[in-house]
Amino acid sequence: MVVSMTIDMSSAFEHMNDIERNAFPLALTSAMTRSMFLISNKYLRKEIDRYVEGGAVRFSKSGILYQKASLSNVYAAVYYQKDRHYLGTITFGGKVKPHDTASVLIEPVNQKVNKYGNIPRGSLKRKKTQSHLYFLGKPGNRPYGLYRRYKKKAPGLVIKLDRKERHQEAIFPAPQRSKRIFNRLWNDLFYDAMRYRLNKSKYRNPTGF
């Protein structure tokens, strides 16, 4: 996800005195970092539940991150962790493709998940090799997926899968929401940051002595 916003603080800077100008750089980077933190952690991680059926799992939410600004790099951002590629797909739309010849995971059904709400690593691969207990298929009109074999009853769906490439509509308006939230928060965040830096400042106007 890329959200580009440029802050023009030149007008405000021109009206500052020397003490305020001295506090300005740290106040600016602090406010930029704080705004990105709030957008990613307080807002987007909660708002994604409104757009994903059943809500997003903790693992997905933890992929919404922020970059801190610094005096050497006056840049802050909200971004997605690289291995959460699906977050970009639900944000901007696009094709969902299998990573290889294996099936695409859709959802766990009768499968234990870890504390993040995800299937433990290697679980699907391990079960696929246990052909006496599990099989991949589409029995009758039931969904395609991994099924557990039973002797005296119909196979039980364990993990629902998909083998086909499909188009994903953009359903999570993260960039638009981020801009609105930023515009609403920025003035207060910068004011608070300036007030904090001024209270901490040891800078004094030159006296000439």
Side-chain angles (χ1 to χ4, degrees):
M1 178 182 68
V2 179
V3 180
S4 298
M5 290 177 281
T6 302
I7 309 169
D8 185 0
M9 303 295 292
S10 57
S11 178
F13 188 78
E14 289 177 0
H15 291 85
M16 294 179 183
N17 59 34
D18 289 340
I19 297 176
E20 291 169 336
R21 290 185 178 187
N22 181 262
F24 175 79
L26 281 174
L28 177 65
T29 54
S30 175
M32 290 171 65
T33 297
R34 180 65 178 168
S35 65
M36 296 300 104
F37 167 79
L38 291 174
I39 290 171
S40 63
N41 288 28
K42 184 177 179 181
Y43 291 96
L44 294 185
R45 289 190 183 187
K46 292 181 179 179
E47 291 191 2
I48 192 173
D49 287 337
R50 295 165 49 194
Y51 302 95
V52 176
E53 184 177 358
V57 298
R58 287 168 58 185
F59 181 75
S60 296
K61 292 181 179 182
S62 67
I64 304 175
L65 305 174
Y66 72 99
Q67 177 178 324
K68 296 180 179 180
S70 66
L71 293 178
S72 60
N73 185 23
V74 188
Y75 172 81
V78 173
Y79 66 98
Y80 293 149
Q81 189 161 315
K82 201 169 185 179
D83 64 354
R84 315 295 202 277
H85 55 274
Y86 51 87
L87 290 174
T89 307
I90 66 172
T91 300
F92 302 105
K95 291 182 179 179
V96 178
K97 302 178 181 179
H99 295 295
D100 49 33
T101 55
S103 302
V104 179
L105 173 65
I106 297 299
E107 62 177 307
V109 180
N110 290 312
Q111 161 72 41
K112 290 183 179 179
V113 295
N114 59 25
K115 64 180 181 179
Y116 299 108
N118 298 288
I119 295 175
R121 186 183 300 273
S123 180
L124 175 59
K125 183 177 181 180
R126 185 172 61 253
K127 284 182 168 65
K128 285 167 66 176
T129 62
Q130 299 173 331
S131 57
H132 63 294
L133 292 176
Y134 301 93
F135 70 93
L136 285 172
K138 187 177 182 298
N141 293 323
R142 301 179 70 183
Y144 177 81
L146 180 73
Y147 285 81
R148 171 70 186 264
R149 299 181 190 273
Y150 295 101
K151 291 183 178 179
K152 297 183 179 180
K153 63 178 182 179
L157 179 61
V158 180
I159 303 173
K160 187 178 178 183
L161 302 167
D162 191 1
R163 293 174 295 179
K164 299 179 180 178
E165 179 182 290
R166 62 184 175 84
H167 179 72
Q168 171 66 57
E169 296 290 339
I171 60 174
F172 181 37
Q176 297 90 331
R177 292 293 301 138
S178 297
K179 286 187 177 181
R180 292 193 190 100
I181 295 165
F182 177 84
N183 289 334
R184 188 172 75 241
L185 297 177
W186 176 250
N187 287 339
D188 288 340
L189 290 175
F190 180 69
Y191 174 81
D192 289 343
M194 277 294 291
R195 184 173 59 179
Y196 176 81
R197 296 312 314 174
L198 289 171
N199 287 338
K200 292 287 183 178
S201 178
K202 296 180 180 180
Y203 179 88
R204 295 292 180 267
N205 283 318
T207 61
F209 296 98

